[in-house]
Amino acid sequence: MLTTAISPDTRSAIDDLYATYVHLLDGRDYEPWIDLFTDDCVYVVKARENEDRGLPLAALAFESKGMLRDRIYGISNTLFHEPYYQRHLVSNFRIRADDAGYLVGANYLVCRTKVGELSEVYSTGAFRDRIVERDGVLLFAEKRAIYDSELIPNSLIYPI
Amino acid sequence: MLTTAISPDTRSAIDDLYATYVHLLDGRDYEPWIDLFTDDCVYVVKARENEDRGLPLAALAFESKGMLRDRIYGISNTLFHEPYYQRHLVSNFRIRADDAGYLVGANYLVCRTKVGELSEVYSTGAFRDRIVERDGVLLFAEKRAIYDSELIPNSLIYPI
Amino acid sequence: MLTTAISPDTRSAIDDLYATYVHLLDGRDYEPWIDLFTDDCVYVVKARENEDRGLPLAALAFESKGMLRDRIYGISNTLFHEPYYQRHLVSNFRIRADDAGYLVGANYLVCRTKVGELSEVYSTGAFRDRIVERDGVLLFAEKRAIYDSELIPNSLIYPI
């Protein structure tokens, strides 16, 4: 008999959370996207090289839902930037449970499409996330996107 | 206790349907691929820009299994084109059930490989599909591929 | 009632095996990665064109865990090569059970990131694997990576 630490129901719920995350983010539907995080969430986008060496420098580091909301406000209203579409593929979830919730690792690919151009690879990397349950709903308490190429953050506008 | 609207069994069956879809399509095994659709299926490939604005223009729009079969006949027998391999990755399924069946959203990436060339990003986008059950088998009643870059259809030969 | 040949528990365990595979491989954590294979495993990386025509030539072909271990030793200690990061996305698992275990087909994309460069598509293709259970643990008895572009093996250093 095969056994896995994580029940199919839980795996299904975590799959659902990520599917909602990417659909809202790629659809630029930011208000419900923000509500996938806890109030005291940590959101970090960091180079693999820095992560592997234990260095703290990150391209983006937000320490609450309020900071995340500020960023979204900036993108939507004040930042001057060339718009582009994002398309996420998040795969190969490795899920571990502990007393506080779930630790989830996954690989991601984000493709970017600028107006009038072909789609291209924009960022690849891994998510190292912490998920918690609040009132029967799964939320991101920590989301860390560790990207493979240090060239990405030069033009990082939207969340990963 | 975590609950999701969709049972693990149903999710498993839908995963299976998409896996079969991409394996048959990428393997150019078109006859069984066509049989994943209902007789009165709708198959649309449309730019995200048009979809978002509610405009009807689509790169491809077929309104029955017969039209889909005609297209495949064209690709296989009459269309003059440079052949290429396709490779689909379809991820992050968002499944909703209603009385008629399932509404499924998913992100896709299609890579293309021409003879003697490197593999490259060909199209990224989202599927917005309707799946129904017929005699215990899941079939596509509607498949809508909404692509991010308007440059794709210039050379769109095979189905997405 | 929907039925699938493969139980959600088994699907979950197979998902887990692939997630562990890609996380260890992309993280260059080769010792535990090797332990995902049986002692008499077959590991083959082969062009789609040769596979489709039934030709035997493969870019890599190992016939035991010992040969796999030798390759890893070579990569880590003796092969002179420009290092790069790999990032796998493996999706759309098609699972069939037989007396000996499971036959699993899946599509893969590997992106590569060289130092100081952008991430790019490195290899796309399909896995055609055989998985067996040994003492309650799933292992790869055969892993065959069939890649779409014949240009890849020129610079194939790390396993796919």
Side-chain angles (χ1 to χ4, degrees):
Chain A
M1 181 60 198
L2 296 172
T3 55
T4 48
I6 306 297
S7 76
D9 277 333
T10 300
R11 179 174 282 270
S12 218
I14 289 174
D15 277 354
D16 248 6
L17 176 64
Y18 280 88
T20 302
Y21 179 92
V22 305
H23 283 82
L24 293 175
L25 188 51
D26 293 349
R28 296 181 182 169
D29 199 359
Y30 294 124
E31 281 308 313
W33 177 80
I34 288 174
D35 285 333
L36 301 178
F37 291 86
T38 61
D39 287 340
D40 57 348
C41 67
V42 171
Y43 175 91
V44 171
V45 180
K46 193 176 181 178
R48 179 169 173 170
E49 208 175 325
N50 284 5
E51 177 77 0
D52 287 350
R53 293 176 186 182
L55 299 174
L57 187 69
L60 294 178
F62 304 134
E63 288 170 16
S64 71
K65 197 168 167 175
M67 286 181 73
L68 214 50
R69 198 179 297 279
D70 280 354
R71 174 70 180 185
I72 294 302
Y73 182 85
I75 294 166
S76 309
N77 295 282
T78 61
L79 267 181
F80 187 76
H81 64 278
E82 188 188 358
Y84 55 87
Y85 289 138
Q86 287 197 135
R87 185 64 55 197
H88 282 72
L89 287 107
V90 186
S91 294
N92 307 121
F93 296 96
R94 203 161 55 151
I95 306 169
R96 298 288 175 267
D98 65 12
D99 289 346
Y102 304 99
L103 292 166
V104 181
N107 278 1
Y108 77 77
L109 165 69
V110 183
C111 288
R112 174 174 68 174
T113 308
K114 293 183 182 176
V115 178
E117 297 188 17
L118 292 169
S119 301
E120 58 187 353
V121 172
Y122 176 58
S123 177
T124 68
F127 284 130
R128 296 178 188 173
D129 299 342
R130 173 167 285 287
I131 290 171
V132 295
E133 194 182 333
R134 294 276 181 276
D135 304 322
V137 177
L138 294 182
L139 297 174
F140 290 106
E142 278 184 47
K143 178 167 275 291
R144 306 168 62 82
I146 311 300
Y147 55 87
D148 295 322
S149 167
E150 74 270 28
L151 293 182
I152 295 305
N154 294 342
S155 58
L156 186 72
I157 302 292
Y158 307 106
I160 291 294
Chain B
M1 184 59 199
L2 296 171
T3 56
T4 48
I6 306 297
S7 76
D9 276 333
T10 300
R11 178 175 284 270
S12 219
I14 289 173
D15 277 355
D16 248 7
L17 175 63
Y18 280 87
T20 302
Y21 179 93
V22 306
H23 283 82
L24 293 175
L25 188 52
D26 293 349
R28 296 180 182 170
D29 199 358
Y30 294 125
E31 281 308 312
W33 176 80
I34 287 174
D35 285 333
L36 301 178
F37 291 86
T38 61
D39 288 340
D40 56 349
C41 68
V42 171
Y43 175 90
V44 171
V45 180
K46 192 176 180 178
R48 179 169 173 170
E49 209 175 325
N50 284 4
E51 177 79 359
D52 287 352
R53 293 177 186 180
L55 299 174
L57 188 68
L60 295 177
F62 304 133
E63 288 169 15
S64 71
K65 197 168 166 174
M67 286 181 73
L68 214 50
R69 198 179 297 279
D70 280 354
R71 174 70 180 186
I72 293 303
Y73 182 85
I75 294 166
S76 309
N77 295 284
T78 63
L79 266 179
F80 187 76
H81 64 276
E82 188 187 358
Y84 55 88
Y85 289 138
Q86 288 197 136
R87 185 65 55 198
H88 282 72
L89 287 107
V90 186
S91 294
N92 307 121
F93 295 96
R94 202 161 56 149
I95 306 169
R96 298 289 173 266
D98 64 13
D99 288 347
Y102 304 98
L103 292 166
V104 180
N107 279 0
Y108 76 77
L109 166 69
V110 183
C111 288
R112 175 174 67 175
T113 307
K114 293 182 181 177
V115 178
E117 297 188 19
L118 292 169
S119 302
E120 59 187 353
V121 172
Y122 175 58
S123 177
T124 67
F127 285 129
R128 296 178 188 173
D129 300 341
R130 172 169 286 287
I131 291 170
V132 296
E133 195 182 332
R134 294 276 183 274
D135 304 322
V137 176
L138 294 183
L139 297 174
F140 291 107
E142 279 184 46
K143 178 166 276 291
R144 305 168 61 82
I146 311 300
Y147 55 88
D148 294 323
S149 167
E150 73 270 30
L151 293 181
I152 295 308
N154 294 343
S155 58
L156 185 74
I157 302 292
Y158 307 106
I160 293 292
Chain C
M1 184 57 199
L2 296 171
T3 57
T4 49
I6 306 298
S7 75
D9 276 334
T10 300
R11 179 175 283 270
S12 219
I14 289 174
D15 277 354
D16 248 7
L17 175 63
Y18 280 88
T20 301
Y21 179 93
V22 305
H23 283 83
L24 293 174
L25 187 51
D26 293 349
R28 297 179 180 171
D29 199 359
Y30 294 124
E31 280 308 313
W33 177 80
I34 287 174
D35 285 333
L36 302 178
F37 292 86
T38 61
D39 287 341
D40 56 349
C41 68
V42 171
Y43 175 92
V44 171
V45 180
K46 192 175 182 181
R48 179 170 172 170
E49 208 176 324
N50 284 4
E51 177 77 0
D52 287 351
R53 294 178 186 181
L55 299 174
L57 187 68
L60 295 177
F62 304 134
E63 287 169 15
S64 71
K65 197 167 167 175
M67 286 180 73
L68 214 48
R69 198 179 297 280
D70 280 354
R71 174 70 180 184
I72 293 301
Y73 182 85
I75 294 166
S76 308
N77 295 283
T78 61
L79 267 181
F80 187 77
H81 64 279
E82 187 188 358
Y84 55 87
Y85 289 138
Q86 286 197 136
R87 184 65 55 197
H88 282 71
L89 286 107
V90 186
S91 295
N92 307 121
F93 295 97
R94 204 160 56 150
I95 307 168
R96 298 287 174 268
D98 64 13
D99 288 348
Y102 304 98
L103 292 166
V104 180
N107 278 0
Y108 77 77
L109 165 69
V110 183
C111 288
R112 174 174 68 174
T113 307
K114 293 183 182 177
V115 178
E117 297 188 18
L118 292 170
S119 301
E120 58 187 353
V121 172
Y122 175 58
S123 178
T124 68
F127 285 130
R128 296 178 189 174
D129 300 342
R130 172 168 287 287
I131 291 172
V132 296
E133 195 182 332
R134 294 276 182 275
D135 303 323
V137 177
L138 294 182
L139 298 174
F140 290 107
E142 279 184 46
K143 178 167 277 290
R144 306 168 62 81
I146 311 299
Y147 53 88
D148 295 321
S149 167
E150 73 269 29
L151 293 181
I152 295 306
N154 293 344
S155 58
L156 187 72
I157 303 292
Y158 307 106
I160 292 291

